[in-house]
Amino acid sequence: MDLAKGSQAPQESLDTDIESFFETAPPLRDDVDISRKLGEFIELNSPSTGKRIVCVTSGGTTVPLEQRCVRYIDNFSSGHRGAASTMYFLEAGYAVIFLHRRGTCLPYCRSLPEDSLLECFELTESSSVQVRQSHSEDVKRAIGYHHAAVEQGLLLKLPFTTIFEYLQILRMVATSMKSLGSHGMFYLAAAVSDFYVPWESMVEHKIQSASGPLDMRLAQVPKMLSMLRKEWDPMAFCISFKNVDFPFVTQQLETDSNILLKKADMALRKYKMHMVVANELLTRNEEVIVVTSTGRVIVHRDKNEADADVEKPIIKLVAERHSTYIQESCSTN
Ligand code: 9Z3
């Protein structure tokens, strides 16, 4: 910590860290294009049309170690949670800004094979391309739903790779959504790096291995959740995710010794989230615990249904709580 910062109050110090993060981050190449797309999308789905907009973040952010990046640190996330949640939000009548890591799961592609282009299509005798019979229903469904959502202006996909891109785009989305008031929502499922190498202290070229072992000091990524709530979009309904890599047992739910829940409660209070979804890496597709200021709810996937996932009941709960929040905000204004 430098001396100037040492004499600052914690909030001032956080604001300085955030400012310096954005000032020194490599600027987005396509910010004009993103800003135009956001403006059009938000106008098309403004509250006067009866719609609500949710920004779903999905996938992990990378931390480059060199400016001309050869190596990077990654945060694990397949993007399944964000992609599946996007489908259920669309089904529930939301317009969705899908801020996702390039190359991770996309909405409606769940039942397609990983290398879908090569697996799902084949060449005919006349060398044109056709869908293989074995995949035709899945492909039709994916293309049908996806094209409909995009063409009706209900789905805007914005990709990111690095922590620099992610936070800059998130800020653009949030400040653009400010005009929506309580009708806007942030569903922050992306796995966001906690540590990074500030751009100005990053070497330009590939770190040489000939110089022996590598010592590296990582700076802490300033917590942007409080900025989102305080400045970027104070009225939006916000859900963040808390991820741990140790098992939690739901029987222990009521004991305050449960570390995951302590962390979730802390996130709820410290960052003024409306809901925090606590999940454990191994069981994240089976059950989660949703923590709100009024209590905790365990949400399971329906085990009687073969293809059921946990995102369906999560989105049902989130959409209900968002409705209540909108009503309460309207009656107090
Ligand atoms: C999550 O906990 C997500 O639920 C998962 C979803 C990443 C586990 P998959 O993409 O997995 O379906 O494979 N996201 C973590 C969000 C996160 O990094 N939260 C920050 C934190 O915990 C606060 S925003 O500090």
Side-chain angles (χ1 to χ4, degrees):
M1 189 188 282
D2 58 45
L3 280 178
K5 243 169 84 182
S7 58
Q8 283 178 332
Q11 185 54 50
E12 270 175 58
S13 160
L14 176 67
D15 291 352
T16 318
D17 289 347
I18 292 176
E19 239 170 70
S20 111
F21 179 92
F22 285 114
E23 268 168 20
T24 58
L28 293 172
R29 271 191 232 123
D30 46 356
D31 58 338
V32 175
D33 193 37
I34 295 174
S35 168
R36 181 189 49 81
K37 285 181 181 161
L38 277 171
E40 288 169 7
F41 189 83
I42 289 167
E43 197 183 324
L44 192 67
N45 296 296
S46 68
S48 61
T49 63
K51 300 253 183 53
R52 299 174 187 178
I53 301 184
V54 57
C55 170
V56 173
T57 72
S58 184
T61 57
T62 68
V63 168
L65 301 185
E66 297 118 348
Q67 289 185 351
R68 297 181 187 222
C69 181
V70 176
R71 302 190 185 89
Y72 58 87
I73 303 173
D74 208 348
N75 257 52
F76 170 77
S77 163
S78 67
H80 166 85
R81 172 87 82 228
S85 304
T86 293
M87 295 188 326
Y88 294 117
F89 273 124
L90 287 164
E91 224 174 271
Y94 281 81
V96 183
I97 299 171
F98 183 58
L99 179 53
H100 66 286
R101 163 77 178 275
R102 281 186 188 83
T104 56
C105 298
L106 294 172
Y108 304 116
C109 294
R110 184 172 40 178
S111 42
L112 301 180
E114 211 175 319
D115 43 0
S116 42
L117 187 67
L118 299 175
E119 284 288 319
C120 297
F121 299 93
E122 62 190 0
L123 289 179
T124 62
E125 276 170 18
S126 61
S127 279
S128 55
V129 176
Q130 71 180 16
V131 181
R132 278 189 174 155
Q133 191 54 41
S134 52
H135 290 293
S136 99
E137 282 312 308
D138 289 340
V139 169
K140 264 195 243 165
R141 203 171 322 117
I143 292 179
Y145 281 118
H146 176 264
H147 284 202
V150 172
E151 274 152 28
Q152 289 166 34
L154 294 170
L155 176 60
L156 174 63
K157 292 187 295 177
L158 299 175
F160 67 82
T161 302
T162 68
I163 182 75
F164 300 112
E165 290 175 323
Y166 171 78
L167 287 176
Q168 288 184 87
I169 305 177
L170 182 66
R171 182 175 63 167
M172 287 176 80
V173 174
T175 49
S176 312
M177 280 175 58
K178 196 172 183 176
S179 60
L180 302 174
S182 58
H183 284 73
M185 187 201 297
F186 285 84
Y187 180 88
L188 303 161
V192 183
S193 322
D194 284 321
F195 306 101
Y196 80 119
V197 185
W199 191 254
E200 73 282 6
S201 59
M202 200 185 290
V203 294
E204 185 181 350
H205 296 285
K206 187 181 171 205
I207 300 166
Q208 293 306 314
S209 57
S211 1
L214 176 64
D215 273 327
M216 185 166 255
R217 194 179 155 80
L218 300 175
Q220 211 155 7
V221 173
K223 289 284 176 205
M224 301 288 174
L225 292 184
S226 47
M227 213 50 177
L228 171 64
R229 290 288 291 125
K230 223 171 39 150
E231 280 186 21
W232 298 347
D233 192 357
M235 284 303 290
F237 190 69
C238 288
I239 301 112
S240 72
F241 284 73
K242 202 75 216 163
N243 181 15
V244 290
D245 57 1
F246 56 82
F248 62 81
V249 257
T250 40
Q251 289 92 314
Q252 279 182 9
L253 257 188
E254 297 312 322
T255 66
D256 278 339
S257 59
N258 189 309
I259 309 172
L260 176 67
L261 290 171
K262 268 192 180 162
K263 285 185 169 191
D265 279 332
M266 202 272 284
L268 197 71
R269 271 178 283 119
K270 187 165 174 196
Y271 304 119
K272 300 194 168 53
M273 292 288 107
H274 299 98
M275 299 171 102
V276 176
V277 181
N279 53 195
E280 187 246 312
L281 218 50
L282 273 181
T283 56
R284 69 190 189 283
N285 295 328
E286 294 297 319
E287 70 173 11
V288 300
I289 303 171
V290 180
V291 183
T292 69
S293 58
T294 52
R296 298 159 180 175
V297 187
I298 303 174
V299 180
H300 297 278
R301 75 178 191 88
D302 181 351
K303 294 187 180 87
N304 300 319
E305 249 186 77
D307 288 337
D309 49 32
V310 69
E311 283 77 15
K312 190 175 185 169
I314 298 178
I315 302 312
K316 185 169 177 287
L317 179 66
V318 166
E320 281 166 11
R321 298 292 169 103
H322 187 204
S323 297
T324 312
Y325 175 72
I326 294 173
Q327 278 164 11
E328 284 170 1
S329 314
C330 292
S331 60
T332 52
N333 286 328

